[in-house]
Every structure is written in structure tokens, then in C-alpha cells.
Amino acid sequence: MSESLVLARQQGPVLTLTLNRPTALNSFTEAMHQALRAALDTAAANPEVRCVVLTGAGRGFCAGQDLSDPMVAPSAPGEPPKDLALAINTLYKPLVQRLKSMPVPVVAAVNGVAAGAGANLALNCDFVLAGESASFIQAFAKIGLVPDTGGTWLLPRIVGRARALGLAMLGDKLPAAEAERIGLIWKCVADAALADEAGKLAERLAAMPVKALAQTRAAIDGAQHLTLDQALDAEAAVQAQLGSAHDYLEGVAAFGAKRAPVFTDR
Ligand code: T3D
């Protein structure tokens, strides 16, 4: 059952994972969480995978938490209230941590509405490409919650405090073109071109030194808490590690020989 909630298709070094609950706009149930995490774990362990594309089946990308899931649906009167922290701590937090620790780049190909945790799922990826009919909604305030799935951390860092508060408090639908304009996402493309554009970007990333790209993600995210001196030290530590790896030697050799590099580290 869990297999069909996330479809996996590998083409060369690119693995495409498709959230597959289209009748509920691919909103998250516990089972879909488990399926996505398992697929990402498998991808992380597979040296043949050098880039992951995450997209949604049907007309939506992901509408966040499935609000009818018994784990989070409000209790009946007289019953004890649901502990939403349970879902956050056991499902959403490990998912974000999994994405942020992927050894390869992750591209979100947002094919339709991305709401609540679905919007922040996309924003946790390294690149967000969106079709022109896609949109992003910080839907949390509309149901009396705060942004989760990393939203409080991500939004002000990506678009600044004023826009973060506007998006989070108003919960308006932000069309993909506007999301690109304010720097929330990498690129808005024609709907019909989305899969192709995401595939081309993923192939390009897969041919790059993906170990260095994963370390770039970690360094940039990690530097948010550091002073400049601390960031300089952190950069030195990572370069020391990468400088003795195959890909650096190959990159420099290829440059000198005026040939295309073949990167293999992961
Ligand atoms: O532990 C915790 O709970 C905390 C974690 C919270 C994380 C979160 O993500 S909180 C935010 C949850 N998400 C939302 O509040 C979004 C709810 N959905 C919507 O507002 C709208 O569906 C959309 C704006 C996303 C799309 O609107 P529209 O008009 O294009 O589609 P629709 O008709 O509303 O939805 C289509 C179907 O998907 C519909 O089912 P039906 O009537 O055809 O059988 C709808 O009920 C279903 N659906 C959409 N979103 C959800 C959902 N079903 C369950 N949960 C959903 N989140």
C-alpha cells in the first residue's frame, strides 16, 4: 500500500518521487509520510541516485496535513484534545531533517497548489520550480495554527520578515509567478514545460559534484546562525574535507586538461 502513495521513477541518475493521493491534493497522511521517508532513505543509500525530483500527482502538489486524519482531526467534545506535537515530532520534523541531510540535491517540481506543510515541504528542497498555475499558501493561520514544517525558520530567511509575516498571517494564495518575483522560489515556468525543466535541472545537478552541493546546502543553512568569523572557520573545515576528495582532484584535473569532469563522489 505504502508504495503507491509515493511513486518512484529512476531515469539515469535522476529519481523522481511523486506524491500520489491526488483526490485529496496529495495531503499528508501518516502512511504517505512513511512512504516518502522510506523513498528518500532508499534514494540516500543508493549511489546510482545523484538528484531527486519531488512532485505531485494530479492537479495539486501537496495540500499539507490531511485534516481528516485521525491523528490530527479535532477530538469530539468530551474527548481529550489531540496532541499535534506528536505529528510534528514523529512525522514532519524527521521529514525536514531527511530532506536537509540528503547527500544529493533535491528539486521540487510544484505542479499545482502547495498549501500548509505542502508549501513548506517544497521550500525545504534545494530548488523550487513551479508551473505557472501552481500556488503557495501558508494555510496554517486559517485553521488557527502557526507555520510548521520549518516555515517559521525558512520564510523570514527566504523572503524577509515583512513578507514572511504577510504570507503567514494572511494565508493568501501566492501565485507561482509572484513567488518567483519575491524570491520565494527559483523559477516559475509554463505548466507544460515543468516536468521537462525540472528534468533538465536535475540532470545538470546530477552531473555536478553532488557531495559538494550537499555540503553547500549545509554550509549556507548553518551559516545563518554564525558570525562571519565562525562562517569562515566552517568554510575552511568543509574545504579541508572536500579538498582531499576525488571530485576536487577530478575537477582541477579536468580544468587543466580542458575536458569535461566526471564527478563520482557522493
Ligand atoms: O499535526 C498537525 O496537524 C500539524 C500539521 C499541520 C500541517 C499543515 O499542513 S496545516 C495546513 C493543512 N492544510 C490546509 O489547511 C489546506 C486545506 N486545503 C485547502 O485550503 C484547499 O483544498 C486548497 C486551497 C489547498 C485547494 O483548494 P481547491 O478549491 O483547489 O480544492 P478543494 O476542492 O478544496 O480540494 C480538493 C479535494 O482535496 C477536496 O476533497 P473532495 O471534496 O473532492 O472529496 C478536499 O477536501 C481535499 N483536500 C484538500 N486539502 C486537504 C484535503 N483533504 C484533507 N486534508 C487537506 N489538507
Side-chain angles (χ1 to χ4, degrees), residues 248-263:
Y248 174 65
L249 304 179
E250 167 64 7
V252 175
F255 176 77
K258 299 189 188 302
R259 63 169 173 80
V262 180
F263 295 117

Side-chain angles (χ1 to χ4, degrees), residues 178-244:
E178 181 67 359
E180 179 190 312
R181 195 188 69 75
I182 67 170
L184 184 70
I185 65 168
W186 178 245
K187 211 171 181 185
C188 169
V189 301
D191 287 334
L194 178 65
D196 193 44
E197 290 277 338
K200 278 195 277 194
L201 175 61
E203 278 169 26
R204 179 176 166 194
L205 291 165
M208 293 182 70
V210 295
K211 183 172 183 174
L213 301 189
Q215 295 280 7
T216 299
R217 173 210 299 136
I220 286 185
D221 286 350
Q224 307 295 326
H225 316 285
L226 303 180
T227 64
L228 176 59
D229 277 353
Q230 290 169 330
L232 290 167
D233 290 344
E235 290 167 7
V238 181
Q239 297 300 46
Q241 182 204 330
L242 292 175
S244 59

Side-chain angles (χ1 to χ4, degrees), residues 134-214:
S135 56
F136 298 82
I137 311 174
Q138 294 294 322
F140 308 90
K142 291 183 172 175
I143 54 169
L145 297 178
V146 299
D148 63 22
T149 318
T152 58
W153 189 90
L154 290 164
L155 287 169
R157 284 172 170 79
I158 303 173
V159 291
R161 183 174 184 274
R163 283 188 166 123
L165 282 175
L167 293 170
M169 288 188 170
L170 299 174
D172 286 340
K173 183 181 277 201
L174 185 73
E178 181 67 359
E180 179 190 312
R181 195 188 69 75
I182 67 170
L184 184 70
I185 65 168
W186 178 245
K187 211 171 181 185
C188 169
V189 301
D191 287 334
L194 178 65
D196 193 44
E197 290 277 338
K200 278 195 277 194
L201 175 61
E203 278 169 26
R204 179 176 166 194
L205 291 165
M208 293 182 70
V210 295
K211 183 172 183 174
L213 301 189

